[in-house]
Amino acid sequence: MIKTVGVVSLSAGTLGEDFVRHELELGVRRLEHYGLRVKFLPHALEGIDHLKAHPEERAADLLEAFRDPEINLILCALGGDDTYRLAPYLFGENQLEKVACQKPFLGFSDTTVNHLMLHKAGLCSFYGQAFLPDVCELDKEMLPYTRRYFEELLRTGTIRQVRPSDVWYEGRADYGPGQLGRPLPAHPAGGWKLLQGPPVFSGRILGGCLDTLYDFFDGGRYADMPAVCRKYGLFPDAAGWRGRILLLETSEEKMSPEKFSRALGFLKQAGVFKAVNGVLFGRPMDNVYLEEYHRRLVAAADDAALPILAQVSVGHALPRCILPLGVPARVDAAGQTITFGAPLPEIPC
């Protein structure tokens, strides 16, 4: 059972800004309601400008979260867009490897990079939720589907099975104090959709936000990111994807269908689609480009036998489940379940 949550800001320092104070206080109350102790790592509340200038402090917080014997769950504040800059401070002198131990780590979006860092260090992790977007949801409670999986992780330290959400929600345009207690518009979700291939497939899930994966290969956002990721081997080679299930989802930027195809093209060139056993694709935010994304994903995979399951409630679209990365998973599209095998392997802290 989780008793102490350590909150880290590994990308944007938004959590330290006054304009989210009402959200932070709400989230802390919710975690304390579960009987949890909340620890903000030393630099987690330093703010946007400070953390932008000091990736070494963000890296230090992650290392400290693994070292701290009281912390049972490392919870990311939110995503951002430059957590790749932590790499020299985590791998330059094998810093992460020296403190690596198997405790739950939860985040999504730009945290995709951190998940791949932990994968490189031999650790499993959890993709799909974060402190500010989920625990601090401005409605009267966390979204029920989101809360179900968050509570399971708190209670058991893992996730055993995921099923579809009955609804999807429109994203908020305003996160100000005036939104406290205000519900989100909801729509019927219609379950997961098998785009192609056999309905049952298995493997260990790996992947994350496609926008971030695009930046592994394209220097348009940060010119040095592809070189840094290559230097530290953050993106697995084709052999590293063999037998896995590729997880993909898109961000609030709602990339154009053309950019979506370019991003998938990078993965195809890297040999990912030929290596994996199947693909899980998250519902895009607000259902934008839903059908177009589906068509382009099938075209990029270029293999009718490769199973692709879409409309999974993971990542940026609301609500959000939690998917264990690196744990044996069995996907049953007909039964609408993703079932996970043995608990995380023990790497003692």
Side-chain angles (χ1 to χ4, degrees):
M1 179 180 292
I2 305 298
K3 295 183 178 179
T4 302
V5 175
V7 179
V8 292
S9 295
L10 302 182
S11 294
T14 308
L15 196 61
E17 299 295 331
D18 286 341
F19 64 81
V20 300
R21 184 64 52 187
H22 60 291
E23 296 177 79
L24 184 151
E25 292 172 353
L26 174 62
V28 169
R29 287 198 302 272
R30 284 183 177 154
L31 291 179
E32 290 178 343
H33 178 74
Y34 286 116
L36 297 168
R37 181 183 179 192
V38 184
K39 278 189 174 183
F40 292 95
L41 275 293
H43 306 289
L45 302 178
E46 292 284 2
I48 293 172
D49 291 342
H50 182 90
L51 288 185
K52 187 76 172 178
H54 293 284
E56 77 282 1
E57 293 183 357
R58 291 181 265 158
D61 279 359
L62 179 61
L63 297 174
E64 178 59 25
F66 277 108
R67 279 193 297 262
D68 189 333
E70 290 187 344
I71 292 176
N72 310 119
L73 168 64
I74 303 171
L75 179 61
C76 290
L78 74 169
D81 64 10
D82 78 337
T83 197
Y84 79 96
R85 295 172 61 213
L86 277 59
Y89 310 104
L90 298 176
F91 296 103
E93 298 178 2
N94 298 319
Q95 296 96 319
L96 182 57
E97 182 181 346
K98 291 173 183 176
V99 302
C101 60
Q102 196 63 73
K103 62 174 70 176
F105 172 95
L106 177 60
F108 74 103
S109 191
D110 189 45
T111 305
T112 296
V113 181
N114 303 125
H115 286 292
L116 290 174
M117 290 173 171
L118 298 182
H119 170 74
K120 177 178 171 63
L123 300 178
C124 301
S125 56
F126 294 89
Y127 192 92
Q129 297 180 11
F131 177 69
L132 194 57
D134 295 296
V135 179
C136 305
E137 162 57 41
L138 292 173
D139 202 346
K140 294 178 182 178
E141 302 287 347
M142 290 177 66
L143 299 177
Y145 181 83
T146 301
R147 187 178 70 240
R148 178 196 315 169
Y149 294 104
F150 186 70
E151 289 178 349
E152 180 179 352
L153 183 61
L154 293 180
R155 188 176 65 254
T156 69
T158 192
I159 301 293
R160 296 298 189 185
Q161 188 178 81
V162 169
R163 293 180 177 272
S165 171
D166 293 333
V167 299
W168 65 270
Y169 301 92
E170 297 178 23
R172 290 187 187 276
D174 179 2
Y175 291 86
Q179 295 294 307
L180 283 165
R182 187 165 294 183
L184 293 165
H187 307 274
W192 301 333
K193 182 178 181 180
L194 184 67
L195 301 185
Q196 65 171 35
V200 176
F201 54 100
S202 61
R204 297 173 188 263
I205 300 172
L206 187 63
C209 180
L210 184 59
D211 305 59
T212 299
L213 294 175
Y214 178 84
D215 294 336
F216 272 73
F217 300 94
D218 182 274
R221 193 188 306 267
Y222 291 104
D224 65 334
M225 183 170 172
V228 170
C229 293
R230 285 195 301 270
K231 177 178 180 178
Y232 294 103
L234 300 185
F235 191 87
D237 60 18
W241 289 97
R242 189 169 297 127
R244 296 189 178 275
I245 296 172
L246 172 63
L247 169 64
L248 297 174
E249 55 96 8
T250 52
S251 82
E252 76 283 356
E253 293 181 359
K254 300 174 183 176
M255 64 168 66
S256 69
E258 293 73 26
K259 182 177 179 180
F260 183 79
S261 288
R262 290 198 300 274
L264 295 176
F266 285 128
L267 300 183
K268 184 175 182 178
Q269 291 170 18
V272 176
F273 290 116
K274 286 188 178 298
V276 297
N277 288 355
V279 179
L280 298 177
F281 183 53
R283 181 186 296 276
M285 286 189 70
D286 300 324
N287 269 12
V288 172
Y289 300 128
L290 178 75
E291 297 297 336
E292 184 69 15
Y293 283 169
H294 291 176
R295 286 193 292 272
R296 289 173 181 259
L297 178 54
V298 168
D302 194 23
D303 179 1
L306 180 68
I308 300 177
L309 184 67
Q311 297 178 187
V312 181
S313 295
V314 62
H316 286 77
L318 295 168
R320 302 181 179 103
C321 68
I322 296 173
L323 296 179
L325 304 183
V327 174
R330 181 180 185 273
V331 179
D332 182 348
Q336 298 277 281
T337 60
I338 305 173
T339 305
F340 299 97
L344 300 179
E346 287 298 324
I347 302 178
C349 294

